[in-house]
Structure formats: C-alpha cells, structure tokens
C-alpha cells in the first residue's frame, strides 16, 4: 500500500498547496480520500484525474470537498476531447443530502452511499468507519489491504474510541489543528498532545500530523506530540509518500 499526501492544510490551502486529500494505491488501483481546496492541481503531479478509480469523502466541509466539482469538470472535458472516461464512484454519507447529491454528475461521477456501520469494499481496500466529534457529521476511516492498515482520523476532537479503532495501525494520519496548550474541542479538532497520546495508546507504528494550522511553528507540533509518542513521527507535507 502506498499513500501520497496531496493536501494537508486545515481550513484553506497555503500558496500553491492544498487542503485535505490523500492518494491511496495498491496493485494499480487508485483511491482518492477527500478532495479539498487545491487538491486537483496537486494531484496532477502524480496521476491524471481520469486515472482515479474511486473517491471517498469523510464529510462535506469545503476544505475536504471543495475540488470535487472541478474534478468532475476535468473528467467531463476528457469526454469532450473524445477520450473514454468511465463513470467514477464517489463514496459519501447521506446525512447531508444536499451535499451528497452534488457527488453525481451524470455519466461522469456517481454518488454512492456508504453505510458507516458496515465494512466497505472498494477495489482491493477494506474500509471501516468511526463517527468523529465535529460540528458536522464526519467519519474517520480505517483502510486495510492484506496485513497493512492505515487510519485517517478526518476531522475530530479527541475521542477515546480512536484508540481501539487505530490499534496497531501501520500509519495513523491524525489531524492536529491546535498546539498542545490550546483547546480544540469546541472547533472539533485535536491538539498535538492529543495526537501523540492517541498514537501512543494505540501503539501505531507511524504517526503523521495533518490538517495543520496556519500559524506558529509546525516543528513545535512534532516536539509536543513526541513528548507522548516514541514511534516514527512526521509532519504531513505535499508529496510525502508512505509505502510498505
């Protein structure tokens, strides 16, 4: 399994970068997890939009779905150029019907409901869900293939349930929108201390901090998380590749 960071900023992208989006690959199958602002421009450094085999969304805040529309246009334009582009499944929850309906662009993309209480099979991947604590309905994902597993917290304040959900994961991509001395619970986000604590309790092999804030020194987030977690620890950055 290979995971490439397409976008990692929280809220809005920094110059020439993107908000939440991750490309997950195995045996040639390409799954895009979230498609935030600026994601399409970054994605094209690695694959063409028409080469994506499926997309799945954690929730419908703009910094996770803003580029879904232009992604649809990119595939649509290929059909105008005479290229064959199959209808792409975009998986999302239906607790926001208006947003879910926008996932379908006839003949180009189709919104497909996932049931968060059930495992979902997408290509070679098995995906499990956990409801997070966020101002809108949002789901964390555990994506597995063979004996490899990575967990994406999506957006959430700290929940003890994350520990069992993330247990022994090879990679934990954990949101970290606040510094250790702050309180992100009201905004539905985690601190560096909480991310490190979660990774330690869950005994994950690699912790990647993402959904990063637009202020302060990000290296401080690493130092604060490292006070609680002794494993491999990195900051998400554009183009970062994790592969096992």
């Amino acid at each position: 399994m290979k995971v490439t960071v397409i976008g990692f900023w929280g809220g809005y992208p920094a110059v020439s970068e993107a908000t939440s989006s991750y490309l997950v690959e195995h045996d040639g199958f390409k799954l895009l997890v979230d498609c935030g602002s600026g994601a399409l421009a970054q994605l094209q450094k690695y694959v063409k939009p028409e080469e994506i085999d499926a997309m799945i969304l954690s929730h419908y805040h703009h910094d996770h779905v803003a580029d879904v529309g232009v992604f649809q246009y990119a595939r649509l334009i290929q059909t105008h150029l005479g290229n064959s582009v199959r209808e792409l499944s975009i998986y999302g929850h239906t607790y926001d019907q208006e947003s879910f309906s926008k996932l379908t662009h006839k003949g180009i993309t189709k919104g497909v409901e996932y049931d968060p209480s059930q495992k979902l099979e997408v290509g070679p991947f098995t995906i499990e869900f956990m409801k997070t604590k966020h101002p809108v309905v949002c789901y964390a994902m555990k994506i597995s293939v063979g004996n490899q597993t990575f967990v994406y917290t999506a957006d959430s304040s700290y929940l003890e349930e994350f520990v069992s959900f993330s247990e022994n994961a090879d990679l934990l991509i954990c949101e970290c929108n606040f510094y250790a001395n702050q309180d992100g619970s009201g905004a539905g986000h985690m601190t560096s201390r909480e991310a490190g604590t979660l990774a330690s309790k869950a005994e994950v092999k690699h912790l990647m901090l993402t959904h990063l804030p637009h202020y302060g020194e990000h290296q401080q987030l690493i130092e604060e998380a490292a006070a609680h977690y002794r494993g491999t620890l990195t900051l998400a950055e554009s183009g970062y590749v994790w592969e096992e």
Side-chain angles (χ1 to χ4, degrees):
M1 181 161 53
K2 177 181 178 181
V3 180
T4 303
V5 177
I6 305 302
F8 63 91
W9 288 97
Y12 65 96
V15 175
S16 301
E17 293 191 326
T19 58
S20 299
S21 189
Y22 306 89
L23 176 63
V24 187
E25 301 173 82
H26 183 74
D27 283 350
F29 191 93
K30 298 173 175 60
L31 171 68
L32 191 64
V33 179
D34 281 347
C35 190
S37 180
L40 183 63
Q42 295 297 317
L43 179 68
Q44 291 173 90
K45 294 178 179 179
Y46 314 103
V47 297
K48 297 176 181 178
E50 60 270 25
E51 293 175 337
I52 295 297
D53 295 297
M55 185 189 300
I56 191 166
L57 305 174
S58 60
H59 66 300
Y60 301 113
H61 272 161
H62 296 307
D63 55 337
H64 292 255
V65 302
D67 269 21
V68 169
V70 291
F71 184 92
Q72 291 168 327
Y73 285 170
R75 294 174 71 96
L76 175 64
I77 288 170
Q78 288 302 312
T79 67
H80 294 334
L81 296 174
N83 297 320
S84 177
V85 177
R86 63 176 180 78
E87 188 174 67
L88 180 80
S89 293
I90 303 182
Y91 295 87
H93 69 69
T94 56
Y95 294 98
D96 180 342
Q97 281 288 347
E98 181 180 359
S99 295
F100 178 78
S101 69
K102 294 177 182 177
L103 305 184
T104 296
H105 192 303
K106 188 175 181 180
I108 303 300
T109 62
K110 180 180 180 181
V112 179
E113 177 185 2
Y114 60 70
D115 179 351
S117 69
Q118 302 293 324
K119 291 182 179 180
L120 175 68
E121 305 291 336
V122 179
F125 302 110
T126 299
I127 305 174
E128 299 173 70
F129 302 93
M130 177 188 140
K131 189 175 182 180
T132 74
K133 190 175 181 181
H134 200 55
V136 300
V137 176
C138 176
Y139 289 96
M141 302 176 204
K142 182 191 300 183
I143 301 179
S144 304
V145 61
N147 60 358
Q148 298 175 329
T149 298
F150 97 86
V151 172
Y152 170 49
T153 65
D155 287 7
S156 184
S157 53
Y158 184 83
L159 292 170
E160 195 65 28
E161 294 93 317
F162 272 121
V163 175
S164 58
F165 188 73
S166 307
E167 189 173 14
N168 296 319
D170 295 291
L171 173 66
L172 171 62
I173 299 180
C174 185
E175 78 118 277
C176 184
N177 207 219
F178 286 83
Y179 290 85
N181 63 345
Q182 297 178 305
D183 180 2
S185 60
H189 293 294
M190 278 190 252
T191 68
S192 51
R193 180 181 64 250
E194 290 167 333
T197 298
L198 167 57
S200 179
K201 287 184 175 182
E203 298 183 335
V204 304
K205 297 179 178 65
H206 186 153
L207 169 62
M208 183 189 298
L209 304 181
T210 194
H211 205 278
L212 303 182
H214 288 271
Y215 56 90
E217 296 294 332
H218 287 168
Q219 186 58 37
Q220 181 182 333
L221 297 171
I222 287 285
E223 294 167 359
E224 291 169 347
H228 303 273
Y229 173 68
R230 303 302 182 187
T232 303
L233 178 57
T234 55
L235 282 173
E237 59 180 295
S238 299
Y240 183 96
V241 175
W242 175 89
E243 188 169 11
E244 282 201 0

